[in-house]
Amino acid sequence: MQDFLEYMRTLQVSQELDRATQAESANTVSIATIQTLGSPQQIPHYARNHALLQHPWLLSFQNPPLRHTHLEDLPTTDQKLGVLVADHPRLSCLIRETGVSRNLETWLKQRYLISWCFPNWLTAVASKLPTPQTRIPLLKNLYEEHGLSGKPGHSKPHPQMWQQLFEELSAIAPGQSIPLPKSSQELLPGTQRYLQIYTTACFQYPAAFGLGILAFTESILPYENQLILAGLKKLGISTKGQEFFAVHCDCDQDHAEEILDVIEQTANSPQTLWQVWQGVAMAVRARQGFYDDLDRELVLLRQDTVKSSKG
């Protein structure tokens, strides 16, 4: 799959995926129902307290049994020696063969794809907004993704931060480009569905759907990334390897507030308010499926590891 963007554009909405959105259109739903949805300003609170942050996979990621410790972070010679022993080629081979390590590599590659696609979703939504004033916050976000914002600590393109983590986890050789999938078979169904939902909302639906998806995403990411950071730290990942998630703990809250300002300017009817909350619901379904599949794979890999050890 040489051109992943082209692949994204060919994604078709399945009837099952779109059923919830097609069930009642913004023109037929009652005004009373729309009004019960509440203000979009409630999206950050909704995200902060969402059950997704208690997902079993995220909780298990915070307590990884394997370590990937860097010598530079250890204060004593004895501790450094212990890591060198653990890094013996045979022991490293055994570690790589465990289900947890394989699941971590799966997460790494599939989560990177979502990050890789994110600027395309931003661009698609921005292109549908009616005025420069409403487009600018999304374009500023796009600039930050490419390290062009000029803000201290935000001068590095985000793919470069991912490169650091891939190299540290030995998923790629130093200096090697992060590979994109060669076919959709390399994606978990939950990842495929995630890309499909976000691409549909941002490219094919009115801007309010995409704004809802983006608002929820930017609202939940600071808290989701804190959980990921906790797991990376327990794995012994260096601050350099943690950079992508650390930066997004800091900047995504601002991005959420900026998108909510855009929603306030553009969601000026009950129908567009309904579309915003439909976008939020689509984002929840996408993330739920993504983590459900990772957790399902982790359970299966652990079962296989146990069977292999008994065999």
Side-chain angles (χ1 to χ4, degrees):
M1 196 177 301
Q2 297 298 321
D3 189 344
F4 199 75
L5 177 57
E6 186 60 32
Y7 163 71
M8 284 177 54
R9 288 173 174 160
T10 66
L11 292 175
Q12 298 297 315
V13 184
S14 66
Q15 291 183 353
E16 178 187 358
L17 166 67
D18 205 31
R19 190 175 296 139
T21 304
Q22 297 282 358
E24 51 178 358
S25 73
N27 295 321
T28 60
V29 68
S30 70
I31 298 298
T33 300
I34 293 173
Q35 290 174 339
T36 63
L37 295 173
S39 166
Q41 297 296 331
Q42 297 173 13
I43 292 174
H45 177 76
Y46 174 69
R48 173 67 184 91
N49 295 282
H50 203 278
L52 276 170
L53 295 172
Q54 297 296 317
H55 194 281
W57 188 89
L58 280 170
L59 296 180
S60 69
F61 187 86
Q62 293 177 80
N63 298 288
L66 304 178
R67 297 192 61 80
H68 181 81
T69 306
H70 278 252
L71 300 182
E72 64 198 45
D73 297 326
L74 298 176
T76 70
T77 302
D78 287 346
Q79 288 174 313
K80 289 181 172 65
L81 181 60
V83 171
L84 288 171
V85 171
D87 279 343
H88 185 278
R90 179 167 175 76
L91 292 177
S92 296
C93 181
L94 291 173
I95 288 174
R96 285 195 299 271
E97 289 174 355
T98 64
V100 174
S101 181
R102 286 162 60 191
N103 189 254
L104 175 63
E105 185 174 349
T106 298
W107 163 78
L108 181 69
K109 292 178 178 178
Q110 317 248 335
R111 178 61 182 81
Y112 169 71
L113 282 181
I114 291 172
S115 179
W116 189 91
C117 292
F118 189 75
N120 303 310
W121 297 325
L122 269 177
T123 304
V125 177
S127 71
K128 298 176 183 179
L129 295 174
T131 65
Q133 289 74 20
T134 54
R135 289 192 291 270
I136 285 172
L138 274 68
L139 295 178
K140 285 170 59 181
N141 190 336
L142 195 63
Y143 260 55
E144 285 191 19
E145 290 283 330
H146 294 83
L148 300 173
S149 69
K151 295 181 181 178
H154 294 270
S155 60
K156 188 181 294 183
H158 291 183
Q160 188 176 336
M161 300 178 191
W162 275 105
Q163 182 95 13
Q164 295 165 177
L165 182 57
F166 267 76
E167 290 179 1
E168 190 162 328
L169 287 169
S170 302
I172 59 173
Q176 179 186 352
S177 298
I178 301 174
L180 292 173
K182 294 180 180 178
S183 79
S184 59
Q185 293 180 346
E186 295 182 32
L187 306 180
L188 292 176
T191 307
Q192 176 99 0
R193 191 175 176 83
Y194 189 114
L195 300 177
Q196 190 176 47
I197 290 173
Y198 271 63
T199 300
T200 297
C202 296
F203 278 88
Q204 300 180 22
Y205 285 3
F209 285 91
L211 288 171
I213 269 203
L214 295 176
F216 179 82
T217 301
E218 300 286 21
S219 295
I220 200 171
L221 273 176
Y223 308 105
E224 190 178 290
N225 287 339
Q226 287 173 12
L227 302 178
I228 297 295
L229 275 174
L232 294 178
K233 288 174 182 177
K234 288 184 179 180
L235 282 166
I237 300 298
S238 70
T239 53
K240 188 177 178 182
Q242 299 171 27
E243 187 174 10
F244 176 85
F245 295 96
V247 163
H248 283 76
C249 282
D250 175 53
C251 69
D252 283 342
Q253 189 169 356
D254 291 340
H255 293 163
E257 292 174 359
E258 291 167 351
I259 292 171
L260 289 171
D261 287 342
V262 174
I263 291 174
E264 191 169 343
Q265 296 176 58
T266 57
N268 48 16
S269 71
Q271 287 75 22
T272 51
L273 175 62
W274 179 86
Q275 291 174 350
V276 167
W277 280 104
Q278 283 296 305
V280 171
M282 293 173 81
V284 170
R285 291 202 300 275
R287 303 183 89 77
Q288 182 73 47
F290 176 73
Y291 284 120
D292 283 352
D293 260 21
L294 280 172
D295 192 55
R296 191 176 298 113
E297 187 205 51
L298 179 58
V299 170
L300 293 174
L301 287 170
R302 281 174 169 164
Q303 291 174 351
D304 289 344
T305 301
V306 170
K307 289 179 183 177
S308 297
S309 64
K310 288 181 179 179

mmCIF file of all heavy atoms in Angstrom, residues 22-46:
data_model
loop_
_atom_site.group_PDB
_atom_site.id
_atom_site.type_symbol
_atom_site.label_atom_id
_atom_site.label_comp_id
_atom_site.label_asym_id
_atom_site.label_seq_id
_atom_site.Cartn_x
_atom_site.Cartn_y
_atom_site.Cartn_z
ATOM 1 N N GLN A 22 -27.680 7.122 10.142
ATOM 2 C CA GLN A 22 -28.783 7.212 9.187
ATOM 3 C C GLN A 22 -30.141 7.016 9.858
ATOM 4 O O GLN A 22 -31.169 7.358 9.292
ATOM 5 C CB GLN A 22 -28.604 6.133 8.099
ATOM 6 C CG GLN A 22 -27.352 6.309 7.260
ATOM 7 C CD GLN A 22 -27.505 7.375 6.210
ATOM 8 O OE1 GLN A 22 -28.561 7.956 6.078
ATOM 9 N NE2 GLN A 22 -26.451 7.634 5.463
ATOM 10 N N ALA A 23 -30.134 6.471 11.092
ATOM 11 C CA ALA A 23 -31.387 6.088 11.737
ATOM 12 C C ALA A 23 -32.358 7.254 11.859
ATOM 13 O O ALA A 23 -33.549 7.114 11.627
ATOM 14 C CB ALA A 23 -31.105 5.493 13.110
ATOM 15 N N GLU A 24 -31.831 8.406 12.259
ATOM 16 C CA GLU A 24 -32.686 9.581 12.317
ATOM 17 C C GLU A 24 -31.870 10.770 11.829
ATOM 18 O O GLU A 24 -30.816 11.061 12.343
ATOM 19 C CB GLU A 24 -33.200 9.809 13.735
ATOM 20 C CG GLU A 24 -32.134 9.821 14.805
ATOM 21 C CD GLU A 24 -32.705 10.107 16.180
ATOM 22 O OE1 GLU A 24 -33.918 10.326 16.301
ATOM 23 O OE2 GLU A 24 -31.920 10.136 17.132
ATOM 24 N N SER A 25 -32.350 11.409 10.806
ATOM 25 C CA SER A 25 -31.610 12.523 10.240
ATOM 26 C C SER A 25 -31.836 13.765 11.073
ATOM 27 O O SER A 25 -32.765 13.849 11.879
ATOM 28 C CB SER A 25 -32.059 12.783 8.800
ATOM 29 O OG SER A 25 -33.349 13.373 8.808
ATOM 30 N N ALA A 26 -30.978 14.758 10.876
ATOM 31 C CA ALA A 26 -31.102 16.005 11.623
ATOM 32 C C ALA A 26 -32.389 16.739 11.266
ATOM 33 O O ALA A 26 -32.821 17.618 12.002
ATOM 34 C CB ALA A 26 -29.904 16.898 11.328
ATOM 35 N N ASN A 27 -33.015 16.371 10.156
ATOM 36 C CA ASN A 27 -34.254 17.041 9.739
ATOM 37 C C ASN A 27 -35.486 16.393 10.366
ATOM 38 O O ASN A 27 -36.554 16.996 10.398
ATOM 39 C CB ASN A 27 -34.382 17.020 8.213
ATOM 40 C CG ASN A 27 -33.285 17.837 7.552
ATOM 41 O OD1 ASN A 27 -32.914 18.887 8.045
ATOM 42 N ND2 ASN A 27 -32.785 17.342 6.434
ATOM 43 N N THR A 28 -35.349 15.144 10.845
ATOM 44 C CA THR A 28 -36.509 14.453 11.381
ATOM 45 C C THR A 28 -36.484 14.330 12.891
ATOM 46 O O THR A 28 -37.516 14.138 13.507
ATOM 47 C CB THR A 28 -36.615 13.032 10.786
ATOM 48 O OG1 THR A 28 -35.429 12.295 11.129
ATOM 49 C CG2 THR A 28 -36.741 13.093 9.268
ATOM 50 N N VAL A 29 -35.302 14.412 13.510
ATOM 51 C CA VAL A 29 -35.220 14.286 14.958
ATOM 52 C C VAL A 29 -35.927 15.480 15.603
ATOM 53 O O VAL A 29 -35.885 16.599 15.094
ATOM 54 C CB VAL A 29 -33.749 14.201 15.418
ATOM 55 C CG1 VAL A 29 -33.030 15.511 15.196
ATOM 56 C CG2 VAL A 29 -33.664 13.779 16.883
ATOM 57 N N SER A 30 -36.558 15.240 16.717
ATOM 58 C CA SER A 30 -37.337 16.301 17.345
ATOM 59 C C SER A 30 -36.427 17.347 17.974
ATOM 60 O O SER A 30 -35.319 17.054 18.418
ATOM 61 C CB SER A 30 -38.255 15.716 18.422
ATOM 62 O OG SER A 30 -37.482 15.273 19.526
ATOM 63 N N ILE A 31 -36.921 18.583 18.035
ATOM 64 C CA ILE A 31 -36.166 19.664 18.654
ATOM 65 C C ILE A 31 -35.905 19.351 20.124
ATOM 66 O O ILE A 31 -34.816 19.615 20.650
ATOM 67 C CB ILE A 31 -36.937 20.998 18.524
ATOM 68 C CG1 ILE A 31 -37.118 21.361 17.054
ATOM 69 C CG2 ILE A 31 -36.201 22.109 19.262
ATOM 70 C CD1 ILE A 31 -35.823 21.572 16.312
ATOM 71 N N ALA A 32 -36.879 18.733 20.791
ATOM 72 C CA ALA A 32 -36.702 18.389 22.208
ATOM 73 C C ALA A 32 -35.532 17.428 22.393
ATOM 74 O O ALA A 32 -34.731 17.574 23.313
ATOM 75 C CB ALA A 32 -37.984 17.774 22.761
ATOM 76 N N THR A 33 -35.419 16.449 21.474
ATOM 77 C CA THR A 33 -34.302 15.495 21.545
ATOM 78 C C THR A 33 -32.980 16.208 21.348
ATOM 79 O O THR A 33 -32.000 15.948 22.068
ATOM 80 C CB THR A 33 -34.469 14.401 20.481
ATOM 81 O OG1 THR A 33 -35.688 13.708 20.720
ATOM 82 C CG2 THR A 33 -33.310 13.424 20.535
ATOM 83 N N ILE A 34 -32.930 17.108 20.390
ATOM 84 C CA ILE A 34 -31.702 17.845 20.122
ATOM 85 C C ILE A 34 -31.288 18.676 21.331
ATOM 86 O O ILE A 34 -30.124 18.711 21.723
ATOM 87 C CB ILE A 34 -31.875 18.737 18.878
ATOM 88 C CG1 ILE A 34 -32.041 17.858 17.633
ATOM 89 C CG2 ILE A 34 -30.682 19.668 18.695
ATOM 90 C CD1 ILE A 34 -32.378 18.622 16.369
ATOM 91 N N GLN A 35 -32.267 19.315 21.952
ATOM 92 C CA GLN A 35 -31.951 20.187 23.075
ATOM 93 C C GLN A 35 -31.430 19.421 24.285
ATOM 94 O O GLN A 35 -30.683 19.957 25.088
ATOM 95 C CB GLN A 35 -33.191 21.015 23.442
ATOM 96 C CG GLN A 35 -33.534 22.071 22.388
ATOM 97 C CD GLN A 35 -34.840 22.780 22.672
ATOM 98 O OE1 GLN A 35 -35.700 22.274 23.411
ATOM 99 N NE2 GLN A 35 -35.009 23.959 22.076
ATOM 100 N N THR A 36 -31.820 18.144 24.416
ATOM 101 C CA THR A 36 -31.328 17.352 25.544
ATOM 102 C C THR A 36 -29.856 16.984 25.390
ATOM 103 O O THR A 36 -29.237 16.532 26.354
ATOM 104 C CB THR A 36 -32.141 16.049 25.697
ATOM 105 O OG1 THR A 36 -31.971 15.243 24.516
ATOM 106 C CG2 THR A 36 -33.608 16.340 25.911
ATOM 107 N N LEU A 37 -29.304 17.171 24.210
ATOM 108 C CA LEU A 37 -27.899 16.821 24.000
ATOM 109 C C LEU A 37 -26.976 17.716 24.803
ATOM 110 O O LEU A 37 -25.878 17.303 25.185
ATOM 111 C CB LEU A 37 -27.553 16.916 22.507
ATOM 112 C CG LEU A 37 -28.259 15.923 21.592
ATOM 113 C CD1 LEU A 37 -27.969 16.245 20.135
ATOM 114 C CD2 LEU A 37 -27.844 14.497 21.920
ATOM 115 N N GLY A 38 -27.383 18.932 25.031
ATOM 116 C CA GLY A 38 -26.548 19.841 25.805
ATOM 117 C C GLY A 38 -25.595 20.632 24.936
ATOM 118 O O GLY A 38 -25.459 20.414 23.733
ATOM 119 N N SER A 39 -24.882 21.552 25.582
ATOM 120 C CA SER A 39 -23.942 22.411 24.877
ATOM 121 C C SER A 39 -22.688 21.635 24.498
ATOM 122 O O SER A 39 -22.214 20.790 25.267
ATOM 123 C CB SER A 39 -23.560 23.590 25.780
ATOM 124 O OG SER A 39 -22.424 24.250 25.265
ATOM 125 N N PRO A 40 -22.127 21.913 23.323
ATOM 126 C CA PRO A 40 -20.840 21.297 22.967
ATOM 127 C C PRO A 40 -19.733 21.614 23.972
ATOM 128 O O PRO A 40 -18.746 20.879 24.054
ATOM 129 C CB PRO A 40 -20.534 21.912 21.592
ATOM 130 C CG PRO A 40 -21.864 22.249 21.023
ATOM 131 C CD PRO A 40 -22.689 22.703 22.201
ATOM 132 N N GLN A 41 -19.887 22.687 24.749
ATOM 133 C CA GLN A 41 -18.892 23.010 25.760
ATOM 134 C C GLN A 41 -18.782 21.926 26.830
ATOM 135 O O GLN A 41 -17.837 21.908 27.612
ATOM 136 C CB GLN A 41 -19.222 24.361 26.414
ATOM 137 C CG GLN A 41 -19.182 25.555 25.456
ATOM 138 C CD GLN A 41 -17.796 25.816 24.893
ATOM 139 O OE1 GLN A 41 -16.791 25.521 25.537
ATOM 140 N NE2 GLN A 41 -17.730 26.359 23.679
ATOM 141 N N GLN A 42 -19.771 21.020 26.855
ATOM 142 C CA GLN A 42 -19.729 19.904 27.810
ATOM 143 C C GLN A 42 -18.883 18.733 27.310
ATOM 144 O O GLN A 42 -18.652 17.773 28.045
ATOM 145 C CB GLN A 42 -21.151 19.419 28.095
ATOM 146 C CG GLN A 42 -22.039 20.451 28.761
ATOM 147 C CD GLN A 42 -23.480 19.991 28.877
ATOM 148 O OE1 GLN A 42 -23.801 18.818 28.679
ATOM 149 N NE2 GLN A 42 -24.380 20.915 29.184
ATOM 150 N N ILE A 43 -18.425 18.797 26.052
ATOM 151 C CA ILE A 43 -17.661 17.677 25.476
ATOM 152 C C ILE A 43 -16.406 17.361 26.286
ATOM 153 O O ILE A 43 -16.126 16.180 26.558
ATOM 154 C CB ILE A 43 -17.332 17.949 23.994
ATOM 155 C CG1 ILE A 43 -18.621 17.934 23.156
ATOM 156 C CG2 ILE A 43 -16.338 16.922 23.450
ATOM 157 C CD1 ILE A 43 -18.432 18.326 21.706
ATOM 158 N N PRO A 44 -15.589 18.361 26.715
ATOM 159 C CA PRO A 44 -14.396 18.015 27.513
ATOM 160 C C PRO A 44 -14.728 17.260 28.800
ATOM 161 O O PRO A 44 -14.035 16.301 29.168
ATOM 162 C CB PRO A 44 -13.764 19.379 27.804
ATOM 163 C CG PRO A 44 -14.209 20.238 26.673
ATOM 164 C CD PRO A 44 -15.607 19.790 26.372
ATOM 165 N N HIS A 45 -15.788 17.679 29.481
ATOM 166 C CA HIS A 45 -16.193 16.981 30.707
ATOM 167 C C HIS A 45 -16.641 15.561 30.380
ATOM 168 O O HIS A 45 -16.305 14.602 31.088
ATOM 169 C CB HIS A 45 -17.312 17.755 31.400
ATOM 170 C CG HIS A 45 -17.843 17.077 32.624
ATOM 171 N ND1 HIS A 45 -17.161 17.069 33.826
ATOM 172 C CD2 HIS A 45 -18.986 16.346 32.834
ATOM 173 C CE1 HIS A 45 -17.854 16.386 34.726
ATOM 174 N NE2 HIS A 45 -18.962 15.927 34.146
ATOM 175 N N TYR A 46 -17.389 15.420 29.300
ATOM 176 C CA TYR A 46 -17.852 14.105 28.861
ATOM 177 C C TYR A 46 -16.670 13.198 28.559
ATOM 178 O O TYR A 46 -16.650 12.019 28.959
ATOM 179 C CB TYR A 46 -18.734 14.295 27.625
ATOM 180 C CG TYR A 46 -19.187 13.018 26.955
ATOM 181 C CD1 TYR A 46 -20.100 12.163 27.568
ATOM 182 C CD2 TYR A 46 -18.724 12.679 25.678
ATOM 183 C CE1 TYR A 46 -20.535 11.008 26.948
ATOM 184 C CE2 TYR A 46 -19.157 11.524 25.044
ATOM 185 C CZ TYR A 46 -20.058 10.693 25.679
ATOM 186 O OH TYR A 46 -20.486 9.538 25.065
#
